Amino acid sequence: MTTRQNHTEADTTVDARGATCPGPLMDLISEVRAVNIGTVIALLTDAEKSPTEVQEWADESGNEVLDIADKGDHYRIHVKKR
């Protein structure tokens, strides 16, 4: 997977560091359900599979992954609710 790094600003953050898969994705989905269309959510996760799982979920659900940043000890994934 190619890591895209932009300077996206998040409206809300889900800190799922320390949770094992699929926990971070489930936390993200819960947050997406709770916010309005157009909201940008930052998911912080240290689960290795999260970038792939989040991208697959976004493709299937119609939401948009804006960027995925590898911060060394965790990933910061920005998702826009569509």
Side-chain angles (χ1 to χ4, degrees):
M1 163 181 280
T2 301
T3 302
R4 299 177 303 271
Q5 295 190 27
N6 296 326
H7 297 288
T8 304
E9 293 294 323
D11 298 307
T12 185
T13 300
V14 174
D15 189 345
R17 290 176 286 189
T20 58
C21 286
L25 179 59
M26 296 297 105
D27 293 346
L28 174 63
I29 291 170
S30 293
E31 186 69 13
V32 168
R33 290 179 177 155
V35 300
N36 294 323
I37 291 172
T39 300
V40 175
I41 303 161
L43 173 64
L44 307 180
T45 176
D46 52 9
E48 286 295 319
K49 293 182 181 180
S50 287
T52 302
E53 288 182 347
V54 170
Q55 185 65 64
E56 290 172 355
W57 166 79
D59 292 344
E60 292 174 8
S61 66
N63 293 290
E64 180 183 0
V65 174
L66 300 175
D67 62 70
I68 300 170
D70 185 341
K71 298 296 188 178
D73 63 342
H74 71 280
Y75 297 98
R76 182 177 184 95
I77 305 170
H78 287 100
V79 176
K80 185 172 187 177
K81 180 175 180 175
R82 295 280 182 198

